[in-house]
Amino acid sequence: MYQKLGRSTAMYVCVTIVGCKDLWNYTANVYGANTPTKVDRNQIVCMPIEIRNIQDDRQVREGIENCIRMTKYSLGIRK
């Protein structure tokens, strides 16, 4: 939306997951584990990702990919 409005050239994006303590994943190997996994905290805050120029589609795409990667790392997902 900011890209279409032309409001800014830089943007910082991060993901926060709240209310996730004690949730289980019962599908083995889906997160790189051989057994079901359980979230041990109530809030997961991912590192902010900088997109220097939101008018550049390549930078926006890379920023989205980096945000997804950091979210997975914060959840302990390696791939």
Side-chain angles (χ1 to χ4, degrees):
M1 181 169 66
Y2 274 84
Q3 185 184 37
K4 289 181 181 179
L5 293 172
R7 292 216 176 157
S8 176
T9 58
M11 179 174 275
Y12 297 87
V13 182
C14 67
V15 175
T16 301
I17 303 168
V18 178
C20 54
K21 186 173 182 175
D22 297 330
L23 295 177
W24 282 89
N25 169 47
Y26 292 102
T27 306
N29 290 323
V30 100
Y31 297 115
N34 292 326
T35 59
T37 53
K38 181 179 176 183
V39 177
D40 64 351
R41 60 199 67 144
N42 198 43
Q43 184 176 18
I44 299 170
V45 180
C46 303
M47 183 177 87
I49 301 298
E50 178 185 34
I51 302 172
R52 291 185 185 225
N53 181 2
I54 64 170
Q55 303 301 327
D56 183 334
D57 290 334
R58 182 187 57 78
Q59 286 188 31
V60 171
R61 188 173 50 254
E62 287 176 1
I64 291 169
E65 290 170 2
N66 288 335
C67 195
I68 291 168
R69 185 177 301 111
M70 290 311 299
T71 302
K72 287 181 177 183
Y73 287 166
S74 295
L75 292 169
I77 302 169
R78 296 180 187 174
K79 297 180 181 182

